[in-house]
Amino acid sequence: MLFLELAFIFFSRVIDVSMATMRMLLIVKGKRLQVALIGFFEVIIYIVALGRVVNSLDKPVNLLVYALGFAAGNYVGIYLEEKLALGYIAVQVIPSEHDFEIIEKLRANGYGVTVVEGMGKAGLKHILTVYAPRKELTKILNLVGELDVKAFTAIMDAKKTLGGYYRQRNKGK
């Protein structure tokens, strides 16, 4: 019976903290309805698990398992978010070589590429910017890496995207 109680506390914390992690990430992305729904279930699970610990403070192992569930929940929440890869990213690439080949390869794979010139320490450079779903990051990095392993790449979250080549291309899908 003690094992079941400890497992309940641990997995309740893993679930509610994972939900909290996802909820915080969705808050940043402005997903109000999803945030409210997750928050509703998250707080119920949290209160039930906390109640089990507070009502048995004479059992320090419950508190230890509660804390371990919290730590594991953070890990699981981040893992899930990485796997879901929600939202969009802006990938900036400053090639060290093969600028035009990289541009053409990205465009041939359906990506809109905006090119601007920038002045760096080594002189004029092309700065390539690609907006895409986060799920496509690995593909973009591989396409660039096939031609220029030394390219400087910066990846930024894009809270929201409106219009543009990428959105028009996928409008009917």
Side-chain angles (χ1 to χ4, degrees):
M1 191 67 171
L2 175 64
F3 175 77
L4 289 176
E5 179 75 12
L6 295 176
F8 177 82
I9 292 169
F10 178 80
F11 287 111
S12 293
R13 282 307 276 163
V14 169
I15 292 167
D16 98 79
V17 174
S18 297
M19 292 173 84
T21 303
M22 294 300 298
R23 182 178 51 79
M24 293 304 294
L25 294 165
L26 290 170
I27 285 172
V28 172
K29 296 183 184 314
K31 305 289 186 181
R32 294 180 186 154
L33 184 60
Q34 293 95 325
V35 166
L37 191 61
I38 290 171
F40 175 80
F41 290 106
E42 172 197 341
V43 78
I44 290 172
I45 295 167
Y46 168 75
I47 290 171
V48 170
L50 181 61
R52 297 270 176 121
V53 173
V54 170
N55 289 329
S56 60
L57 290 175
D58 58 324
K59 299 176 189 168
V61 70
N62 286 7
L63 184 58
L64 178 65
V65 169
Y66 183 84
L68 287 171
F70 179 82
N74 281 294
Y75 184 87
V76 169
I78 292 170
Y79 176 81
L80 289 173
E81 195 281 331
E82 288 173 351
K83 291 298 174 196
L84 291 173
L86 301 171
Y88 290 86
I89 51 165
V91 181
Q92 272 192 343
V93 179
I94 303 174
S96 64
E97 57 187 6
H98 306 294
D99 302 30
F100 295 105
E101 291 92 337
I102 293 171
I103 295 165
E104 290 308 313
K105 187 167 206 160
L106 288 168
R107 287 180 176 160
N109 279 273
Y111 297 104
V113 181
T114 302
V115 182
V116 296
E117 285 187 350
M119 179 62 78
K121 184 178 178 181
L124 277 178
K125 293 277 190 177
H126 286 116
I127 302 168
L128 320 179
T129 305
V130 177
Y131 288 91
R134 278 189 55 211
K135 292 179 183 194
E136 296 185 25
L137 176 61
T138 303
K139 182 178 179 185
I140 294 168
L141 295 177
N142 288 339
L143 291 169
V144 171
E146 288 172 7
L147 293 170
D148 187 354
V149 294
K150 294 180 183 176
F152 175 79
T153 306
I155 300 137
M156 298 153 281
D157 277 327
K159 182 176 178 181
K160 192 174 208 173
T161 60
L162 300 170
Y165 175 75
Y166 185 83
R167 297 297 295 161
Q168 291 172 359
R169 180 172 57 91
N170 287 310
K171 206 174 202 176
K173 292 184 181 178

